[in-house]
Amino acid sequence: MSGKVSHGNTPAAWIGTVVLLAGALLVSLGVVVHWSWLWIAGTVLCVAGAAAWIGLQRAGGKWVEDMW
């Protein structure tokens, strides 16, 4: 770690947050309208969002620092 604190202002954080929010929306709608396939899809999207966040954060290097 370079010592520079970004406070979450990285592409990994933004992408992970947006995907997790979309997944949470699908889960919520699936529960409200009683469509099991929708909340299952939302759950899968949440897991994919968390994996993308972690993967992008670990893969981040110079290209992340150059963007900000």
Side-chain angles (χ1 to χ4, degrees), residues 52-66:
W53 191 336
I54 292 168
L56 286 171
Q57 184 179 15
R58 288 187 180 171
K62 185 129 176 73
W63 68 274
V64 173
E65 293 173 6
D66 289 342

Side-chain angles (χ1 to χ4, degrees), residues 4-47:
K4 180 180 174 187
V5 179
S6 67
H7 296 289
N9 292 327
T10 63
W14 283 102
I15 291 170
T17 301
V18 169
V19 173
L20 284 168
L21 284 173
L25 176 66
L26 290 181
V27 168
S28 300
L29 289 174
V31 169
V32 168
V33 297
H34 301 287
W35 290 345
S36 62
W37 64 269
L38 190 60
W39 68 259
I40 291 171
T43 302
V44 169
L45 193 59
C46 285
V47 170

